[in-house]
Amino acid sequence: LAQACAAQADPSRRPAPRTRVAMGMKYLGAYLMAVIGGKEAPTAEDIAAILEAGGIEFEQEMIDRVIEKMDGKQAHELISAGYGKFAACGGGGGGGGGAAAP
């Protein structure tokens, strides 16, 4: 989180776009899609099926890691607990209005 805030303040500190962390988001995203779809505790097979349906390559090891980290936890509780941490990065505010037509 601190890195994300620092990267927002100083663009030269932004990580490479295809870091392992960024690539790992697809696994968490698939996990959360399964939760939204009604699975209280998605399995590795659920995550793999979602990724396969989207034509997304995956590593079984990464899926297993997500399942291990989420074992015994509820997705909505983790989201609620972490929501306040996003405030540390501040809000972006709205963009300016468009230019007047000539």
Side-chain angles (χ1 to χ4, degrees):
L1 182 61
Q3 289 176 331
C5 291
Q8 185 177 19
D10 181 4
S12 68
R13 294 187 63 187
R14 289 189 182 138
R18 302 242 343 149
T19 63
R20 190 157 178 90
V21 172
M23 290 173 55
M25 291 303 291
K26 66 185 174 185
Y27 301 102
L28 186 55
Y31 184 93
L32 292 173
M33 287 177 72
V35 170
I36 290 170
K39 297 274 188 172
E40 190 170 311
T43 64
E45 292 78 22
D46 295 327
I47 294 173
I50 290 168
L51 294 172
E52 286 174 346
I56 301 169
E57 294 180 17
F58 61 88
E59 297 174 32
Q60 188 62 44
E61 176 187 338
M62 294 295 288
I63 291 175
D64 294 341
R65 188 175 299 168
V66 169
I67 296 299
E68 179 184 327
K69 297 280 185 184
M70 294 300 295
D71 187 37
K73 299 179 177 97
Q74 297 292 314
H76 68 277
E77 291 173 355
L78 294 174
I79 291 168
S80 294
Y83 184 76
K85 296 177 183 178
F86 288 110
C89 288

